Each structure stands twice: as structure tokens, then as C-alpha cells.
């Protein structure tokens, strides 16, 4: 039969073939086709023959074709056919489909759709035919019956697509079905329907099936609806990430995790690649992606962001067209996230309304961690983002060229957090990705070298972290490091220090790097530039510290640990240690040559030797001998010769230039510290011959110091030629030399004081020597101060850094104030008898703490060791606390005769500085710090259970008592400096309290009580105490009610702008007095109001962002509005209370100046935020059906209680200024004009803000069908005209005065012209009158903004 059909098909006409096919039964033909297809023999030829004999123009032929199509579809779908045969059949069916008449196409399409709906698909092969059928159907213009209705082909196609999208799709055919739609011509509505269906299927598929589906979805989205497709994919993976992190954070549920991390990351990586590839082909998709994230910026960006979306954005940076835009977007998102976090941390009001969200920085670091799963397309973007953040938000250069960075998390600004995030990204990426390491290192080193003038501490810290992580790995990149060494002599000293410190672990594992560095340093040692030689000294000292000689004390015996990587390399063989010894002795030889160079180089050497000695004790003999030989050059060996030191040899005269040659004070300081360390650490471990061998020059140094001490005490100032009659002028050579010598003598005295105290063992004679040395120091200090006071350039010893070590200061203060041992009593009474000495000791402690706050370290031994500094801080604080609480300032001052601050006040100042420094640098150790201050017998577990809040509260109570005692004094006895310090200390300690704790509530109520019951005229004290109150209040709830109460007090104290109105004094806070109300308290409350307005503005922006993020249906939109209800209510309550606050202030007779300007600016901001709220309701009222009642009340309140008063206040301000001008008519007119223009600038801005508010209220009234304008009075017209009669009079006066005096151009006439302006009411306004009075010969002044505002 098949042969006959094939032979008939070869005829030129088809008649015989038609007749033969008509004779066959339907089943015969389908059975034949089925058999042939199963055999795979000439199926295509048979099908072509059947189609040839079954033309669609004839009913039988069309019907036969339909049967054949149905049979073929079933055959292809069965999966029994060979692949080639099935493809051939489908190809023929596709070619012939468009010949079908409309009704049969509908039937065919319905059959295909039914197969999908019933889940009858076996291999989905037949789906390839459906797009052709639907396309053919859409081209049919005639109406086709479907039940009772008739549809065109296009309409029927739409109905079929709706049916398909509403049907249940078999999981395994989702990708095929999505792929099918890309070949169907779809309208925008149909695309939306299909995309929505595909997105719903995501959650029902296995993870591995998602990437191909995303690919097909993106191809489909090119037909339209890209936004929904992208949003859906991102939202799906966002939710998946959240679920996964929640599963992993469970305790013992790890076995139940549905998806392994690796698998999820691999899938996400593949999906990202698909999206990036799609964006390359379709740039509109990229634009839509950026729009999606930019829209999310307006509201809560953390809703919009997740590790997946960040990784996607970073991958898109590989497309040049979007690179810059994406990085700008990410920068903005990061900084906004940190700013939002800062705002939330500072406001309990916001914390109660806004749920905690994951920070963007956490998500980005999550991306870095996930990138280990073959996310090569993300790593380059991560590296670039890291460097962009570090470059954009690194420390900025300040006046003295230094940049201060703190370690405290809370005190950091958003930009510092962003910079730290950049460094974290680079470090973590460096750890994970081996391929990118070389590039990161190169870029860091390039920035270190090329940015010499800018602060680069953040890059040096990153470099240090990178090298510390893997010094051995970096051996492969060592060429880049050695190349950097070539620039050492050109870099600033601070950068050289940081760089050498950072590469130090690498020097231990790479001989080539070390040799390169030594060559560079040796060249620099003889460079012509001073900084290059200082860099060489710094480098050599660092090498000496870190290449330890065999027999040196272990790091556990040293007072500072060296770090894990260094300790690892310290475990050298004997050969290496011996090699180190040779190497170190060579360096010592190089360094000895520095002793003939400038003073700055020598100072560096002397300051560095102690650290070398402490870290490499076997070099002690070499160092001490070097120092001894150097000292002998300036030491007078004869025991009776005064003075004992050759000061003249320390000063060098080069022509007219006098400069310091030998910093003798630094030399003696170095000797003293090295000697003390050697005696305490090395000598106890030595035995026998070794001790005798070394003792010689150590004993000699001791004897020399002893001799210098005795002879310095005997010496008079005349012996140094430094008595009062000496010349101390900086303009003469002799004067300069005397100032240098005096400074050296003072330094030597300080060093000898520390030396004698350390060896005294509480001997009375030694303490008398100490006091004698101090008196010598004091005399010179007084002379220098006296002489400097007479000169123009004031140089006081306060700026001079003390040579005392922080450990000595700590021990000395403890001995002076806390030592109660009976045997020490007599000797210590010598020092205690001198209040000047004790005050000086406290002052030096304050200086050391200030140094720590400014630079992060202190000068002297162990000044770079954070642990030692912390311990000393604890000891000093304990002494200060005891001294201040035991001997109050009032007691001390009653019997004091000396000038200057009392010791108790200095101790309080020290406590304030130390508490700030501890929070700045040692915040994680606050618990340990507070515990060290307590004198309790508690130990172990009980002590550990006491929280930071409890410890801080205990200290707070002591300072509260002190402040109460101070406030109980008479007004004239009130010490404002002490009160101010006490409030600062309380503020610092209050930050340590947990806001939810009873201790915090007690602190708040106590502060509130003090402000309510105590009246002090001191402005600075009032400001600090009220600031503390507001700060505490904000940590518990919003301070708006407090603001309202204070504003009533200010109004009561200063009176009303209408002098006829008598204001009732409320007296909520006694601290608000006539003297403190303005400007002190007024500016403070306005500043607080500004913060509240900022918070409200942030909330409104967030709400608007949530509404506009997507186009919502009415139901969804009303749900969002319902969710926002608590936030909206809180916003309206805040604004309502703030409105009453401004209602009070705007009626207050505030003095001209900052208070008025700030109030006008804040009122402008208030109206701007009211406008923003009205615009928000314009967005949501269409769906929610109206506006809340409390919003109506707020509008009513603004119309009745604020707007009319604002206009009255503007008139009051203008009248006040014009009155002031008349009084100052004789002053410089140009200056008066400039001030008038400056002070009236906020007025037009305020009027414009009010008018904008009213404009949007009108729009909202129309939309909500609520008359919101019924409470608004018609605004005053702000246009102006010139009164002709007044102008004529003014001009005549000027003509008369012209003969008497010559006026500068644009001066006095203009002041009078201002008086000719007037404000007409709306009904009086006539535009033509503006110009009538102005004569052509008159040059008018520039019109102030206030006169133009009404024309806007």
C-alpha cells in the first residue's frame, strides 16, 4: 500500500492519488503511517505523498490531514521513534501547518493544549509544533466559532494562551513550555501572563532545572516585560538565600538542610552568567536591571538587595557600557546602608518602627565567601569595588598632614565603615582566589608608592594583613615588593615605617627580598635628603628588631609579642641564628655612622635602640657600648667640674644658622631606659664570669649618671649661662643657642628624675635629689615662659613633650597619691611637700593621654604596645579616681595659694580624657577597664558575672554625687569648668549603659531632675547638661515632648513678639533662664528638632519607596498601606508635636542672629517634610480610598497654629532688622547691606516652602474628596512696590547732602530706597506701580530675594 501511494505521488497530477486515498479507511492510513514510522523507512516521503493527495482546499483532504497530524503528534510524543524520523515528521508537520483552515487549526491547537493540561506529555517533542499552530492561527482573520461565541484567530490564540497559563504544568516540561513561547508572537499582555506563570513554577522545580529555565525566560522577556522577569528571578533567589541561611543557623538541624551550600552557589553562578549573557545581547535588559536597583534605593534597600543581586551587579561590571553606572550604584548603596544604620543606632524611635535588616556589607562579604564556587565572573568586580571604596572613602588629609583613625565601631562615620569594607573585601578575596592575588598586591603597592602626599594608612594596614596571612605564598610576587623598595628614599617617613612594618614577615622567609632591602637602605644612608637617611635608620632598626640572635630572650619574656607568623619563623636552626648575629652586627656598624649625622637622624636612632634591645637582647652589649662612647663625647669626666655636660658641643653654628647637633636629652633617655631594662631582665638571668665580663661598662654608665645627677643639682643656672639675664630672643644667634641649651637641660633634668626615682628604692636622699632636679627644671621653664611672653611668638613648655615614660608616670602617681606603706611615708613626704611637682606629674599624665588620643600611641618605651598602654591607663585612672573623689576640688581650692588648676580638677580632666581614649581605642576591653577601677574582694565567677552596665553605673554614681555637691554651692562658688568636665564624664559613661536597663532609666530620671530643679547661669554647663538629657532621652524614646516643654520655657523667659501679650512662665526646666534661653538652649533644641525632622524625612522616603517599588494591584496596595499604618501614625504624631514646638518658638522674641536664622531654616524644613507627607498620601490615596483622620487634624493644626504665625514672625524679623539699620545708619553702608541680604535669605525659602505645601494640599483635597484647605488662610502677597512720595523725599535728601559729603557708589541712597518698599495686600497689587516711581538716573540696588519670592 505504501509503495502504491509513493508511486502515485510521482504522477504529474494528483487525481489518482486523491481517489486512492479516498478509498482507504482512516485507520488503514494511520496504521500504515505508524508501521512505516516504527520501521524508519521512507516515512517522510510517505507523509509528503499523503499531504500531496490531501489538499486543504477540499473538505476530505483537510479532514484527512487533521487525522494524520493527530496521529503524528501521538507518534512523536510516544518516544518510540528514532530521533531522525521524529525530527523529519515534525519538520513536515511544521511546513504544512499554515495550509489548514481556521476551524481545524483551532481543533488542532485545542488537542495540543489538552495534552499539556492532562499531563499526557511523554517527551515533549510535540511542543515544537504548537508555536507554528498558534502563529498560523493568529494570522487567520475570519471568525471561528467556539461554543456560542465567535472569535478571530488572534483572539482565539489569546484564549488558548490564557488556558495554557492557568493549566498545571508538568515539572519536567516547564523549560520546554517556556522555550515554546519564545517562537509565538505575543502581545504585551500575553507576555506578562506567561512570565508570571513561569515565575510561579520556579519554586516547584529542582534547583538544577532553574538555570535553563531562567535562560528561556530571559529570551522570552525580549518580547516585553523584562522588569517582571528580572524582579521575579532576583526575588526568588533572595528568598532562597534567606531560607538557606535560616536553615544553617539552626542548632542541631544541619542534617535537615534542603540544599547544600555548594549546589545553591553553583546554580546561582550559572543563572548570573545567563543574565549577563542576555544583557550583552539585549542592553534594554541591563537598563531595566539598573532601574530596578535605583528604585529600591528610595525605600529600604535591604529589601531589594541580597548576595545574589550583588553578585549579579558585580558580574554586569564586565560589560563596559554598564561598568561605571553599576559601581556608582554599589557605592551609593553601601554608604546609604551605613548612614541608615547610624541613624537607626542613634534613635530608639526609629528602632521601634523599623525591623532589623541585614547590612549591605554583610551581604557583600557573603558574596566574597560564595565566590569560591567558581564565580570567576564576580571576582574581578569584587576587586574593583574594594579599591573603589578604599579610594573614595579612605582617610582624608587634614591640616597637619596626619589622618586620625579610630578603632571604635560606634564612633566611625559611614565613610570609614565603607573604607573598612573595601579592605575586608580585598583581604577575603585575596585569601580565597589564588589567581587574583598578584593583581591585588600590585594595586596596593602602586597606591602606596604613588599617593605619597595623601594618607595611605588604610592601604598599609591591608598590605600588612595580606602579608601576615601568607608570607610564603607571596614569595612568588616578591619582585613587585623589591621594585617598591627602590622608591623608599622618595616616600614620606610615616609611609616608610608602615611599609617596612607590613613587609616584615616576608623578609624572614625570602632572602632575596631582604638582600634587596638592605642594598636600598645602605644607599639611602648616604643620600643627600634628610628624609631618605631617616628612612634608612627606620629600616635598619626594624631589621634589628626582627632578626633575633641565638640566646635572645624568648617572646614570652619580652614585653611585647611579635605575632603568629613571626613566632613561627623565630624557631630557627642554630645556623640561622648565628647568621642573624653576623647580619645584625653588620647593621649595627652601619647605624654607628648615623651618630655623626643631623640631630633628627640621631633622635630616631636613640628612640629605636630601646625596642631593639627589648626584642633582641643579645645585642645589648653592642648597643650599650655605642651609647656609652657617644655620651663620653659630651661628658665632663672631672668629678668637680660644673656643669657635668658639654652643652656647647651639642649646638652647631653654620654661619648665621644655629641648630642642634646632639640631642643629649634623647641620648640620656635612651641610656637610662636601656640600663633599667638590662638590670631588670638580663642581669637576673646571668651567672658568674658572664656577669663580671659585662658589668664593667654598665657600672661605668651607672656611675656617670650618678655623677651627672649630683653635679646637675649643684649647678646653678649661671653655670649653664642660662640665668634670667641671658638672651632668649629667637631673632639672635645667642638667643637661639640659649633656647636650645635650656631645652636640653630641661630634658636632662626630666630623664634624671626618672632615673633616680627608678633606682631610689624609696630612699629619702634620692627623692630629695628628684625634687632638686625638678626645681632646676621649673626655674628654666619659668624663665623661658617669661621671656617668651614678652616676645611676639609665644613658645610655652606646655607644647613640649615630656621624656617621662608612661610606666614611670603611672608608678610616680601611684606613689604620690596611693602609697600608704609606713616605711615609704617619710621619703614620699619629700615629694608630696611640693604641690608644683605633683601638679606637674598629673600634667604629664594628661599630656600622654592626649598624645594617645591624637596619634594612637605615646612616646617612650612601650609607647607602641597597646597592652602596656592599656595597663598604664588603668593604673593612672585608678589613682585619678581616688584622688578626685577623696579630695574634692572645693576642699583643695580653699587652702590653695598657687595659680592654675587644682590637682583635683586636673585629675578630673585626666579621667575625662582617659574615658574617651578607652572608648576610642579599647572598646572591646571596656569590661576589663571598669573592673580594674573597682576595689573589691570579689574574684572569679562572681566578678565575671557583673555586666558593663552595672560597673559603669557604679562609677556614674560617684560622679553624680560630685556634681550634686558642686550644684549645692553658692552661685559665686560654682566651678563651671569642673561642672562641665563632670557632665562630659557622665556622658561618656552613660554610653556604656544598656538603654533597656534600670540603671539607664535611673540615669535619665536623675539628669531630668537636675535640669528641672537647678538654675545655673553658666551657658556652657547648661548646654552640656541639656545635651546629655536629650541624648539619653533619644535612646529610650523620641524627644519631641521634651522639645515642646523646653520651647514653652524659652517662650516664657524671652517673652512674645507682641509686647502687649504677657506670656505665662511654665518653668518645666529651671535650667532654662533668661540668660541661657537664647542662644544656648534655643540653638540646642532647634538642633534636636532638626534631627527629629531628619528621622521623619527618612521614614517618609522609606514609605514612598515601598509604595513605588512596584505597580501594585488595589488589594496589594491596600495591604501595604495597612502595614504602613503604625509608621504613618508615628510620623503624624511626631510632626504634630513638633508643630506645637514651632508654634511656641515662632511667637518668641528671639534675639537677632543665629537663633532667628536657624529657626527660619528649620521652619522651612518642617514645611518641606509636611509637603513630602502630603505627596506620599497623593501616591497611596487612590488605592486606600482616602486619608487618615489624624492626617486631617495635622493639616488643620498647621493651618491654624503655624502658617499665620510664620507670616507674623517674618514681619517681626523684617521690622526688627530695619529698626536695627536706622540705629546703625552711620556705620559702613555696604556692610549693612551685605548683612541684611544674608539674614533675610531664609525668608523667601520659607515662604516658597509654605506655598508648595499649600499647592500639594489643594491636589490632595481634589484626589481625596476632603476639603483640607478650609483651615488655611489666604497667604499674604509677597510682591512689593515702590512708594513714589517716599522715594522723591529720599532722593531730595540725598541731593542736599551731596554737597556736604561724597558717598560711595551704591551706598546710602539704597538704604533709604529700602524704606520705600512696601507690602501690598492681594487686592491692592497693581503690577504697573512697581516702576512708576523710579527715575532713569537712579541706580537701584540689587533686589533682595525677599522682594521677589512672591513672583515665583
Amino acid at each position: 500500500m505504501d509503495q502504491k501511494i509513493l508511486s502515485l505521488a510521482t504522477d504529474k497530477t494528483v487525481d489518482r492519488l486523491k481517489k486512492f486515498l479516498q478509498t482507504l479507511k482512516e485507520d488503514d492510513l494511520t496504521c500504515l503511517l505508524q508501521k512505516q514510522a516504527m520501521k524508519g523507512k521512507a516515512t517522510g516521503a510517505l507523509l509528503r505523498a499523503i499531504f500531496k493527495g490531501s489538499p486543504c482546499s477540499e473538505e476530505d483532504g483537510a479532514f484527512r490531514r487533521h487525522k494524520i497530524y493527530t496521529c503524528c503528534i501521538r507518534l512523536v510524543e510516544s518516544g518510540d521513534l528514532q530521533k531522525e524520523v521524529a525530527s523529519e515528521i515534525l519538520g513536515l508537520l511544521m511546513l504544512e501547518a499554515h495550509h489548514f483552515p481556521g476551524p481545524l487549526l483551532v481543533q488542532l491547537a485545542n488537542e495540543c493544549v489538552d495534552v499539556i493540561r492532562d499531563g499526557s506529555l511523554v517527551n515533549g517533542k510535540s511542543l515544537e509544533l504548537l508555536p507554528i499552530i498558534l502563529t498560523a492561527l493568529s494570522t487567520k482573520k475570519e471568525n471561528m466559532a467556539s461554543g456560542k461565541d465567535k472569535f478571530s484567530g488572534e483572539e482565539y490564540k489569546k484564549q488558548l494562551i490564557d488556558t495554557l497559563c492557568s493549566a498545571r504544568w508538568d515539572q519536567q516540561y516547564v523549560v520546554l513550555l517556556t522555550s515554546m513561547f519564545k517562537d509565538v508572537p505575543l502581545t504585551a499582555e500575553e507576555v506578562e501572563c506567561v512570565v508570571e506563570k513561569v515565575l510561579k513554577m520556579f519554586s516547584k522545580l529542582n534547583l538544577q532545572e532553574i538555570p535553563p529555565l531562567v535562560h528561556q525566560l530571559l529570551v522570552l522577556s525580549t518580547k516585553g516585560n523584562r522588569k517582571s522577569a528580572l524582579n521575579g528571578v532576583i526575588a526568588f533567589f533572595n528568598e532562597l538565600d534567606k531560607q538557606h541561611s535560616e536553615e544553617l543557623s539552626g542548632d542541631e538541624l544541619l542534617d535537615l538542610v534542603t540544599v547544600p551550600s555548594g549546589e545553591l552557589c553553583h546554580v546561582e553562578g550559572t543563572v548570573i552568567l545567563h543574565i549577563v549573557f542576555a544583557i550583552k545581547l539585549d542592553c534594554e535588559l541591563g537598563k531595566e536591571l539598573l532601574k530596578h536597583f535605583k528604585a529600591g534605593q528610595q525605600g529600604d534597600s535591604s529589601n531589594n538587595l541580597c548576595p545574589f543581586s550583588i553578585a549579579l551587579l558585580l558580574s554586569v561590571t564586565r560589560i563596559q557600557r554598564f561598568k561605571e553606572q553599576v559601581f556608582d550604584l554599589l557605592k551609593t548603596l553601601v554608604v546609604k546602608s551605613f548612614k541608615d544604620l547610624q541613624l537607626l543606632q542613634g534613635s530608639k524611635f526609629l528602632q521601634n518602627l523599623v525591623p532589623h535588616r541585614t547590612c549591605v556589607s554583610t551581604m557583600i562579604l557573603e558574596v566574597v565567601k560564595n565566590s569560591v564556587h567558581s564565580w570567576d565572573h564576580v571576582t574581578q568586580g569584587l576587586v574593583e569595588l574594594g579599591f573603589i571604596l578604599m579610594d573614595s572613602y579612605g582617610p582624608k588629609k587634614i591640616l597637619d598632614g596626619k589622618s586620625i583613625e579610630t578603632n571604635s565601631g560606634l564612633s566611625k562615620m559611614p565613610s570609614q565603615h565603607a573604607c573598612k569594607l573595601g579592605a575586608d573585601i580585598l583581604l577575603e578575596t585575596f585569601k580565597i582566589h589564588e589567581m587574583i592575588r598578584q593583581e591585588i598586591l600590585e594595586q596596593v603597592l602602586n597606591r602606596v608608592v604613588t599617593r605619597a602626599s595623601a594618607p595611605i594608612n588604610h592601604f598599609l594596614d591591608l598590605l600588612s594583613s595580606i602579608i601576615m596571612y601568607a608570607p610564603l605564598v607571596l614569595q612568588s610576587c616578591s619582585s613587585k615588593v623589591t621594585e617598591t623598595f627602590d622608591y623608599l628614599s622618595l616616600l614620606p617617613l610615616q609611609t616608610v615605617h608602615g611599609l617596612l612594618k607590613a613587609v616584615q614577615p616576608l623578609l624572614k622567609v625570602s632572602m632575596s627580598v631582604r638582600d634587596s632591602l638592605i642594598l636600598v637602605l645602605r644607599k639611602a644612608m648616604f643620600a643627600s635628603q634628610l628624609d631618605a637617611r631617616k628612612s634608612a635608620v627606620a629600616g635598619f632598626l626594624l631589621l634589628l628588631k626582627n632578626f633575633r640572635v641565638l640566646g635572645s630572650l624568648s617572646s614570652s619574656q619580652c614585653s611585647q609579642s611579635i605575632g603568629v607568623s613571626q613566632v613561627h619563623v623565630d624557631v630557627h636552626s642554630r645556623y640561622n641564628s648565628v647568621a642573624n648575629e653576623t647580619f645584625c652586627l653588620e647593621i649595627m656598624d652601619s647605624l654607628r655612622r648615623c651618630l655623626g649625622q643631623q640631630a633628627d637622624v640621631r633622635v630616631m636612632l636613640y628612640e629605636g635602640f630601646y625596642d631593639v634591645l627589648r626584642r633582641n637582647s643579645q645585642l645589648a652589649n653592642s648597643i650599650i657600648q655605642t651609647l656609652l662612647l657617644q655620651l663620653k663625647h659630651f661628658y665632663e669626666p672631672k668629678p668637680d667640674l660644673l656643669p657635668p655636660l658639654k652643652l656647647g658641643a651639642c649646638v652647631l653654628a653654620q654661619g648665621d644658622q644655629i641648630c642642634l647637633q646632639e640631642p643629649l636629652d634623647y641620648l640620656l633617655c635612651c641610656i637610662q631606659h636601656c640600663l633599667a631594662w638590662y638590670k631588670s631582665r638580663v642581669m637576673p638571668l646571668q651567672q658568674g664570669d658572664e656577669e663580671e665580663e659585662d658589668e664593667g661598662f654598665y657600672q661605668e654608665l651607672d656611675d656617670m649618671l650618678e655623677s651627672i645627677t649630683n653635679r646637675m643639682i649643684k649647678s646653678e643656672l649661671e653655670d649653664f649661662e642660662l640665668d634670667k639675664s641671658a638672651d632668649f630672643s629667637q631673632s639672635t644667634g645667642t638667643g637661639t643657642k640659649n633656647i636650645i641649651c635650656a631645652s636640653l637641660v630641661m630634658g636632662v633634668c626630666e630623664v634624671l628624675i626618672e632615673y633616680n626615682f627608678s633606682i631610689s628604692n624609696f630612699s629619702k636622699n634620692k627623692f630629695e635629689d628628684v625634687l632638686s632636679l625638678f626645681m632646676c627644671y621649673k626655674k628654666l621653664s619659668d624663665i623661658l615662659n617669661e621671656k617668651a611672653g614678652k616676645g611676639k611668638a609665644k613658645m610655652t613648655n606646655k607644647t613640649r613633650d615630656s621624656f617621662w615614660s608612661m610606666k614611670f608616670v603611672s608608678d610616680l602617681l601611684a606613689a604620690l597619691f596611693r602609697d600608704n606603706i609606713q616605711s615609704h611615708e617619710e621619703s614620699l613626704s619629700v615629694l608630696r611637700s611640693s604641690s608644683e611637682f605633683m601638679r606637674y606629674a598629673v600634667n604629664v599624665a594628661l599630656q600622654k593621654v592626649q598624645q594617645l588620643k591624637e596619634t594612637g600611641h605615646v612616646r617612650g618605651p612601650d609607647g607602641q604596645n597597646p597592652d602596656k598602654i592599656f595597663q598604664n591607663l588603668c593604673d593612672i585612672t585608678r589613682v585619678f579616681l581616688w584622688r578626685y573623689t577623696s579630695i574634692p576640688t572645693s576642699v583643695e581650692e580653699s587652702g590653695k595659694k598657687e595659680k592654675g588648676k587644682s590637682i583635683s580638677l586636673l585629675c578630673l580632666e585626666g579621667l575625662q580624657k582617659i574615658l574617651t581614649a578607652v572608648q576610642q581605642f579599647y572598646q572591646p576591653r571596656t569590661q576589663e577597664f571598669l573592673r580594674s577601677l573597682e576595689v573589691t574582694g570579689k574574684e572569679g565567677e562572681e566578678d565575671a558575672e557583673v555586666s558593663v552596665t552595672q560597673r559603669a553605673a557604679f562609677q556614674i554614681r560617684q560622679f553624680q554625687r560630685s556634681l550634686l555637691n558642686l550644684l549645692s554651692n553658692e552661685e559665686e562658688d560654682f566651678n563651671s569648668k569642673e561642672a562641665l568636665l563632670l557632665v562630659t564624664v557622665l556622658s561618656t559613661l552613660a554610653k556604656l549603659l544598656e538603654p533597656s536597663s534600670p540603671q539607664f532609666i535611673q540615669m535619665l530620671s536623675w539628669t531630668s531632675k537636675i535640669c528641672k530643679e537647678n538654675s545655673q547661669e553658666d551657658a556652657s554647663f547648661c548646654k552640656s547638661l541639656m545635651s546629655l538629657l536629650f541624648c539619653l532621652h533619644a535612646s529610650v524614646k523620641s524627644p519631641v515632648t521634651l522639645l515642646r516643654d523646653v520651647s514653652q520655657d524659652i517662650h516664657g523667659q524671652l517673652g512674645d513678639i507682641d509686647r502687649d501679650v504677657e506670656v505665662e512662665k511654665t518653668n518645666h526646666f529651671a535650667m532654662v533662664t533668661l540668660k541661657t534661653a537664647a542662644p544656648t538652649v534655643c540653638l540646642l533644641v532647634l538642633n534636636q528638632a532638626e534631627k527629629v525632622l531628619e528621622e521623619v524625612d527618612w521614614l517618609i522616603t522609606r514609605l514612598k519607596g515601598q509604595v513605588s517599588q512596584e505597580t501594585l494591584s488595589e488589594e496589594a496596595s491596600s495591604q501595604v498601606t495597612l502595614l504602613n499604618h503604625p509608621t504613618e501614625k508615628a510620623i503624624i504624631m511626631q510632626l504634630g508635636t513638633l508643630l506645637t514646638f514651632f508654634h511656641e518658638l515662632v511667637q518668641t522674641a528671639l534675639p537677632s542672629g543665629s537663633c532667628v536664622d536657624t529657626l527660619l531654616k528649620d521652619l522651612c524644613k518642617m514645611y518641606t517634610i509636611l509637603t513630602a507627607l502630603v505627596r506620599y498620601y497623593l501616591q497611596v490615596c487612590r488605592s486606600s480610598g482616602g486619608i487618615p483622620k489624624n492626617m486631617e487634624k495635622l493639616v488643620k493644626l498647621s493651618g491654624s497654629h503655624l502658617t499665620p504665625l510664620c507670616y507674623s514672625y517674618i514681619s517681626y524679623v523684617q521690622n526688627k532688622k530695619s529698626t536695627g539699620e536706622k540705629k546703625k545708619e552711620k556705620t559702613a553702608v555696604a556692610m549693612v547691606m551685605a548683612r541684611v541680604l544674608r539674614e533675610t535669605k531664609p525668608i523667601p525659602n520659607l515662604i516658597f516652602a509654605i506655598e508648595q505645601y499649600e499647592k500639594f494640599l489643594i491636589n490632595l483635597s481634589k484626589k481625596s474628596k476632603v476639603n483640607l484647605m478650609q483651615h488655611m488662610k489666604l497667604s499674604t502677597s509677597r510682591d512689593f512696590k515702590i512708594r513714589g512720595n517716599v522715594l522723591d523725599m529720599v532722593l531730595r535728601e540725598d541731593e542736599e547732602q551731596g554737597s556736604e559729603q561724597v558717598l560711595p557708589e551704591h551706598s546710602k541712597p539704597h538704604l533709604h530706597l529700602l524704606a520705600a518698599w512696601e507690602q501690598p495686600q492681594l487686592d491692592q497689587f497693581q503690577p504697573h506701580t512697581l516702576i512708576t516711581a523710579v527715575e532713569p538716573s537712579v541706580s537701584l540696588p540689587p533686589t533682595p530675594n525677599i522682594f521677589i519670592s512672591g513672583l515665583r
Side-chain angles (χ1 to χ4, degrees), residues 328-592:
D328 285 344
L329 177 66
L330 284 169
K331 260 173 64 178
T332 311
L333 286 170
V334 165
V335 175
K336 183 180 182 294
S337 170
F338 286 127
K339 281 181 179 173
D340 290 353
L341 199 64
Q342 191 182 36
L343 198 66
L344 280 166
Q345 282 178 338
S347 170
K348 187 68 178 175
F349 166 69
L350 289 180
Q351 288 169 22
N352 292 337
L353 289 171
V354 179
H356 175 71
R357 297 285 181 188
T358 311
C359 186
V360 173
S361 60
T362 313
M363 295 181 194
I364 294 176
L365 292 173
E366 184 75 21
V367 172
V368 178
K369 193 174 80 177
N370 292 346
S371 67
V372 74
H373 301 286
S374 307
W375 284 14
D376 298 334
H377 45 91
V378 174
T379 46
Q380 191 59 44
L382 280 169
V383 172
E384 288 186 52
L385 177 65
F387 279 113
I388 285 170
L389 290 175
M390 289 189 79
D391 291 339
S392 304
Y393 303 111
K396 299 290 180 274
K397 193 172 184 179
I398 53 176
L399 291 175
D400 60 353
K402 294 178 185 176
S403 62
I404 310 304
E405 289 193 72
T406 61
N407 298 330
S408 162
L410 286 172
S411 62
K412 282 188 179 179
M413 300 309 288
S415 57
Q416 289 173 298
H417 282 298
C419 178
K420 176 72 170 60
L421 173 62
D424 289 344
I425 291 168
L426 291 169
L427 180 60
E428 294 305 313
T429 309
F430 183 89
K431 289 179 180 179
I432 292 172
H433 297 283
E434 196 173 333
M435 296 297 290
I436 209 87
R437 285 176 181 170
Q438 177 104 14
E439 186 189 338
I440 292 175
L441 185 66
E442 276 186 23
Q443 289 210 42
V444 171
L445 289 172
N446 286 342
R447 282 164 170 79
V448 169
V449 171
T450 57
R451 300 190 181 180
S453 58
I456 50 165
N457 300 343
H458 51 312
F459 285 114
L460 291 171
D461 292 341
L462 173 62
L463 180 64
S464 179
S465 302
I466 285 172
I467 294 174
M468 190 68 81
Y469 169 71
L472 291 167
V473 171
L474 283 176
Q475 278 186 288
S476 57
C477 312
S478 59
S479 60
K480 188 65 190 172
V481 179
T482 53
E483 189 184 318
T484 308
F485 289 156
D486 295 337
Y487 300 98
L488 276 185
S489 58
L490 304 173
L491 297 176
L493 189 61
Q494 198 178 1
T495 304
V496 173
H497 268 292
L499 179 60
L500 293 178
K501 201 172 177 183
V503 299
Q504 154 200 320
L506 190 58
L507 300 176
K508 292 197 169 186
V509 295
S510 173
M511 292 292 285
S512 62
V513 174
R514 190 182 78 176
D515 293 343
S516 300
L517 177 61
I518 290 168
L519 276 173
V520 169
L521 293 177
R522 279 182 177 157
K523 283 180 191 173
M525 187 69 85
F526 300 101
S528 56
Q529 301 93 351
L530 177 63
D531 276 354
R533 297 200 296 279
K534 286 166 82 173
S535 298
V537 171
F540 279 135
L541 287 170
L542 189 84
L543 290 170
L544 284 179
K545 274 187 244 177
N546 293 296
F547 285 87
R548 303 190 43 214
V549 181
L550 184 68
S552 290
L553 296 179
S554 66
S555 54
S556 61
Q557 288 171 286
C558 290
S559 50
Q560 182 177 350
S561 61
I562 306 169
V564 179
S565 64
Q566 295 161 27
V567 172
H568 172 72
V569 188
D570 277 342
V571 189
H572 284 312
S573 64
R574 182 177 179 86
Y575 168 76
N576 277 341
S577 296
V578 172
N580 281 351
E581 183 170 10
T582 311
F583 170 67
C584 289
L585 290 173
E586 278 179 25
I587 292 175
M588 280 299 299
D589 282 340
S590 298
L591 286 175
R592 283 192 190 97

Side-chain angles (χ1 to χ4, degrees), residues 78-116:
S78 68
D80 296 334
L81 302 183
Q82 293 174 23
K83 197 173 180 182
E84 295 79 10
V85 175
S87 297
E88 189 179 11
I89 292 172
L90 275 174
L92 285 168
L93 296 183
M94 287 176 185
L95 281 172
E96 297 293 330
H98 67 280
H99 296 304
F100 270 107
L104 284 178
L105 270 174
V106 168
Q107 283 186 38
L108 205 55
N110 277 327
E111 285 170 15
C112 290
V113 170
D114 288 341
V115 169
I116 296 166

Side-chain angles (χ1 to χ4, degrees), residues 192-232:
E192 189 179 347
C193 183
V194 175
V195 167
E196 196 179 322
K197 174 65 180 176
V198 174
L199 290 172
K200 281 179 184 174
M201 294 305 298
F202 271 43
S203 56
K204 297 172 184 175
L205 298 182
N206 294 329
L207 210 52
Q208 297 298 339
E209 294 171 327
I210 301 288
L213 179 58
V214 169
H215 173 68
Q216 296 300 337
L217 178 64
L218 292 170
V219 173
L220 177 65
S221 72
T222 55
K223 293 175 178 287
N225 219 2
R226 297 175 180 86
K227 182 180 176 182
S228 298
L230 275 173
N231 290 4

Side-chain angles (χ1 to χ4, degrees), residues 708-741:
I708 292 170
T709 300
N710 294 331
R711 285 191 278 167
M712 283 291 287
I713 292 166
K714 289 174 187 174
S715 300
E716 297 293 332
L717 291 182
E718 288 80 359
D719 297 328
F720 296 105
E721 298 177 2
L722 295 172
D723 57 343
K724 284 190 177 182
S725 62
D727 176 16
F728 287 98
S729 165
Q730 292 181 349
S731 57
T732 64
T734 310
T736 307
K737 180 186 174 185
N738 287 341
I739 289 171
I740 292 171
C741 289

